[in-house]
């Protein structure tokens, strides 16, 4: 079997970042196996109209690969994807990336102390270190609605956008009002003959302080040392301070709620529509969304907001819970992702034949969200409890990448071939995480993709990101079983 030192799973932000940092640390003996035919992860998949990032691009980019000419403060999807491709080119990653290599199984072999990895097309590889960078939002969640297969028109999920389906003059029904839907609804409303939007719970949508960068700003960013760094720092502090509202200072969230209410009331004149667009849970419990064009589009394009729930799908549309039929040529699902099924459907098999799914049967957990006991030499980027509701995920990924590099460097310096996190280190860390989550707004009685099927919060990091950076800044051998 072919042997390598490192295998990275996935060529999204995490995988590319890990690969760049491996190269910068003089490691060449690695590959990235990517299940799709191109790199980019969620920025390759989510091509729906209006797709853009809700974190400013100066911060939503690698600190070690700055781009100083973003067109907008919040870059659109195509520009982010281009940036990722530029990074791959700039750091000569192409020879390392193997496309159309979906991994089915990774099994730890006790004798060789290596991971044996197999792909769908039966490619096999033996690696010392396995690093997953599969993201949390890559498996579309389709609701299990009765009659779905009987629908005669076109239907698709927002993350599998059908560019071949022309929405012009079509009757369109959208199901879901999350972060994706609020971006594409105002765009497709411009083309569709009619648009009906099925909302199960209303989101909080606040203003998006987006704008184009001027030529002067581009010049300053590129020529004056420190300006770009200052911009990153300013954005970081601004976004990080929002966490105060999620955890300790309820007044911060109250102020944000007041500002949301003013914005919504200014944009929507109809009182009953305003009521329907008002969430019934505290702000922050689900992801806070940003868009300037979502609320105004209801009156501008006469979007029908339906809050009666869905009884079933009929061959010609949707039957709501009051028995009323809504006709559609096209059904679009903005129904989110199977976020808590981390790493599925891959089978990751650790020591003594233990499957990761089995180890996680009471909810996914890992030490620092990175290593799992009984799964030696295995590191996760964007693992359990490392998602954010308030800041850039790239900052978290960089913390995880640095930690992984330090762990590997430790093993190499001390001639250790196996590293396995100690059960009590993992348990202690996760007890603290779950304790901290209890005092966040996420525990205030709404259901969201932040929880798994049993209601356990396995997705979010319940602290400041600088705290996470501090915890991951050094590899501490006392947390691990290390064998030569
Ligand atoms: P989402 O936020 O999970 O929203 C899914 C929507 O579908 C919710 O409104 C949900 O209602 C609804 N829904 C789910 N199942 C349903 C059913 N059976 N019947 C009716 N409605 C149903 O998904 P998303 O909009 O794709 O966004 C997912 C995440 O992707 C975001 O939270 C964000 O982290 C990321 N994202 C980021 C950006 C960005 O700008 N960076 C853009 C898009 C997405 P309930 O609320 O009632 O469950």
């Amino acid at each position: 079997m072919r042997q390598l030192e490192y295998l990275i799973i996935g060529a999204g932000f995490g995988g590319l970042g890990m690969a760049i940092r491996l190269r910068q640390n003089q490691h060449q003996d690695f590959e990235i196996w990517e299940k799709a035919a191109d790199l980019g992860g969620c920025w390759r998949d989510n091509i729906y109209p209006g797709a853009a990032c809700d974190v400013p691009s100066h911060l939503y980019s690698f600190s070690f690969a700055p781009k100083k000419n973003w067109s907008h403060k919040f870059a659109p999807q195509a520009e982010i994807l281009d940036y990722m491709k530029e990074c791959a080119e700039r750091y000569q990653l192409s020879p390392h990336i193997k496309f159309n290599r979906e991994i089915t199984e990774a099994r730890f072999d006790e004798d060789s102390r290596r991971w044996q990895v197999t792909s769908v097309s039966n490619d096999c590889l033996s690696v010392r270190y396995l690093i997953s960078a599969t993201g949390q939002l890559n498996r579309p969640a389709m609701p299990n609605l009765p009659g779905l297969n009987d629908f005669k028109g076109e239907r698709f999920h927002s993350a599998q956008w059908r560019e071949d389906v022309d929405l012009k003059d079509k009757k369109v029904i959208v199901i879901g009002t999350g972060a994706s839907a609020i971006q594409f609804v105002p765009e497709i409303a411009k083309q569709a003959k009619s648009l009906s939007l099925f909302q199960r719970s209303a989101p909080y949508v606040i203003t998006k302080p987006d704008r184009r960068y001027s030529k002067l700003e581009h010049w300053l960013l590129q020529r004056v040392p420190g300006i770009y760094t200052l911009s990153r720092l300013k954005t970081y502090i601004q976004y990080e301070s929002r966490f105060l509202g999620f955890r300790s200072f309820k007044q911060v969230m109250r102020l944000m709620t007041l500002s949301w209410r003013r914005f919504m009331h200014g944009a929507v004149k109809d009182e009953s529509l305003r009521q329907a667009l008002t969430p019934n849970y505290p702000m922050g419990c689900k992801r806070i969304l940003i868009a300037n064009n979502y609320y105004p589009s209801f009156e501008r394009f006469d979007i029908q907001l339906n809050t009666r729930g869905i009884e079933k799908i009929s061959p010609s549309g949707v039957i709501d819970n009051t028995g009323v039929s809504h006709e559609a040529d096209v059904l679009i699902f903005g129904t989110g992702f199977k976020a808590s099924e981390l790493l599925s459907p891959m089978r990751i098999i650790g020591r003594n034949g233990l499957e990761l799914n089995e180890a996680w049967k009471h909810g996914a957990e890992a030490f620092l969200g990175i290593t799992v006991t009984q799964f030696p030499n295995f590191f996760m980027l964007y693992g359990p409890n490392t998602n954010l509701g308030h800041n850039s995920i790239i900052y978290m990924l960089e913390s995880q990448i640095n930690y992984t590099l330090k762990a590997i460097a430790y093993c190499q310096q001390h001639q250790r071939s196996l590293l396995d996190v100690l059960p009590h280190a993992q348990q202690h860390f996760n007890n603290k995480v779950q304790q901290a989550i209890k005092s966040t707004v996420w525990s205030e009685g709404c259901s969201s993709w932040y929880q798994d099927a049993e209601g356990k919060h396995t997705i979010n990091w319940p602290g400041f990101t600088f705290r996470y950076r501090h915890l991951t800044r050094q590899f501490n051998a006392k947390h691990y079983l290390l064998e030569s």
Side-chain angles (χ1 to χ4, degrees):
M1 197 183 295
R2 197 159 65 88
Q3 300 214 342
L4 269 183
E5 200 62 4
Y6 315 96
L7 180 67
I8 301 166
I9 313 172
F13 259 113
L16 296 178
M18 187 74 228
I20 294 169
R21 299 285 287 115
L22 277 172
R23 282 207 58 153
Q24 287 178 334
N25 283 272
Q26 321 308 328
H27 302 289
Q28 295 288 350
D29 196 15
F30 69 89
E31 279 182 7
I32 303 180
W33 282 19
E34 165 57 53
K35 70 175 177 185
D38 201 357
L39 58 79
C42 65
W43 295 106
R44 171 202 61 223
D45 295 341
N46 287 275
I47 55 163
Y48 56 77
C53 189
D54 58 9
V55 176
S57 299
H58 284 178
L59 196 59
Y60 195 85
S61 46
F62 295 124
S63 63
F64 46 79
K67 171 176 159 72
K68 300 181 178 177
N69 61 349
W70 291 104
S71 67
H72 289 75
K73 191 169 172 193
F74 296 84
Q77 169 268 337
E79 201 176 346
I80 299 172
L81 186 58
D82 281 350
Y83 166 75
M84 296 173 84
K85 290 184 175 172
E86 277 161 34
C87 284
E89 206 180 304
R90 199 190 311 176
Y91 295 95
Q92 295 155 24
L93 300 184
S94 296
H96 297 270
I97 309 179
K98 308 294 167 203
F99 292 113
N100 301 308
R101 286 256 171 115
E102 181 171 359
I103 292 169
T104 46
E105 185 181 290
R107 184 184 288 272
F108 186 73
D109 175 52
E110 206 66 58
D111 295 335
S112 62
R113 298 187 158 180
R114 298 175 73 90
W115 285 92
Q116 322 283 8
V117 183
T118 316
S119 80
V120 170
S121 44
N122 244 346
D123 302 289
C124 296
L125 193 62
S126 160
V127 292
R128 172 80 55 212
Y129 299 105
L130 182 65
I131 303 162
S132 77
T134 53
Q136 293 187 353
L137 303 167
N138 57 22
R139 287 168 311 285
M142 284 293 275
N144 196 8
L145 293 166
L148 191 58
N149 293 329
D150 302 334
F151 182 64
K152 293 273 184 280
E154 300 286 0
R155 63 185 161 99
F156 54 89
H157 189 277
S158 59
Q160 293 161 338
W161 198 265
R162 291 271 307 276
E163 287 184 308
D164 59 319
V165 177
D166 187 2
L167 299 178
K168 196 165 181 300
D169 298 327
K170 299 274 169 50
K171 287 180 268 177
V172 179
I173 287 183
V174 173
I175 299 173
T177 52
S180 304
I182 63 114
Q183 290 186 332
F184 69 75
V185 159
E187 297 302 323
I188 63 171
K190 292 175 193 164
Q191 310 163 34
K193 183 172 168 190
S194 68
L195 202 161
S196 235
L197 178 59
F198 278 77
Q199 170 189 278
R200 190 164 66 178
S201 14
Y204 284 94
V205 185
I206 60 171
T207 50
K208 181 175 185 176
D210 195 15
R211 63 182 178 77
R212 250 186 185 284
Y213 283 113
S214 66
K215 278 189 181 153
L216 175 66
E217 283 173 308
H218 278 156
W219 187 88
L220 289 169
L221 281 161
Q222 284 169 57
R223 302 288 167 85
V224 182
I227 294 227
Y228 175 81
T229 311
L230 266 181
S231 165
R232 268 179 72 90
L233 184 66
K234 176 178 159 275
T235 308
Y236 176 77
I237 294 171
Q238 189 189 342
Y239 275 66
E240 195 65 355
S241 65
R242 284 168 43 172
F243 188 70
L244 291 170
F246 286 86
R247 177 108 176 247
S248 343
F249 296 100
K250 298 266 156 67
Q251 297 91 322
V252 176
M253 217 43 107
R254 268 190 224 119
L255 276 178
M256 282 180 70
T257 310
L258 273 179
S259 138
W260 158 79
R261 194 175 294 280
R262 209 172 310 123
F263 170 53
M264 204 263 278
H265 279 228
V268 182
K269 300 288 165 245
D270 182 291
E271 173 60 31
S272 60
L273 183 56
R274 282 209 298 252
Q275 267 178 21
L277 288 169
T278 300
N280 61 359
Y281 54 88
M283 191 176 207
C285 193
K286 293 178 194 245
R287 190 174 172 91
I288 301 170
L289 311 182
I290 61 167
N292 297 330
N293 55 358
Y294 180 66
Y295 289 139
S297 64
F298 283 91
E299 287 173 356
R300 190 175 307 152
F301 301 111
D302 195 21
I303 297 169
Q304 298 300 310
L305 183 69
N306 204 307
T307 56
R308 290 185 220 126
I310 299 169
E311 187 199 311
K312 62 175 182 180
I313 307 293
S314 71
S316 61
V318 170
I319 315 264
D320 72 27
N321 274 335
T322 62
V324 176
S325 174
H326 305 259
E327 299 286 300
D329 304 310
V330 185
L331 270 185
I332 305 177
F333 293 88
T335 42
F337 301 86
K338 298 175 192 163
S340 56
E341 293 178 21
L342 291 150
L343 294 165
S344 297
M346 262 183 301
R347 288 181 73 210
I348 312 278
I349 304 160
R351 303 190 102 168
N352 306 313
L354 179 65
E355 267 203 52
L356 195 54
N357 283 340
E358 180 60 21
W360 283 353
K361 66 181 175 203
H362 299 302
E365 61 170 54
F367 179 62
L368 300 170
I370 303 174
T371 48
V372 187
T373 186
Q374 301 265 57
F375 294 81
N377 301 358
F378 172 54
F379 301 89
M380 282 177 292
L381 308 181
Y382 203 1
N385 290 109
T386 61
N387 180 60
L388 301 176
H390 70 287
N391 213 332
S392 171
I393 198 65
I394 313 283
Y395 183 87
M396 296 295 273
L397 286 172
E398 287 193 23
S399 304
Q400 292 147 12
I401 291 168
N402 285 337
Y403 181 85
T404 302
L405 286 170
K406 288 200 167 150
I408 291 170
Y410 182 94
C411 289
Q412 289 169 345
Q413 276 157 21
H414 295 82
Q415 279 93 45
R416 300 285 191 255
S417 58
L418 183 142
L419 147 162
D420 191 3
V421 68
L422 293 168
H424 67 82
Q426 182 175 317
Q427 199 182 351
H428 179 70
F429 174 79
N430 281 282
N431 289 347
K432 289 203 146 191
V433 164
Q434 291 304 323
Q435 195 57 38
I437 281 176
K438 286 190 188 137
S439 54
T440 63
V441 67
W442 306 315
S443 299
E444 290 192 9
C446 72
S447 69
S448 71
W449 60 272
Y450 295 161
Q451 295 132 283
D452 67 11
E454 283 166 22
K456 186 176 173 191
H457 282 263
T458 56
I459 298 291
N460 281 357
W461 168 244
F464 288 100
T465 62
F466 57 77
R467 172 81 183 128
Y468 186 77
R469 175 67 54 100
H470 180 76
L471 289 172
T472 50
R473 81 196 184 290
Q474 293 297 348
F475 172 77
N476 191 336
K478 78 171 188 202
H479 296 132
Y480 287 84
L481 168 74
L482 290 149
E483 291 175 7
S484 327

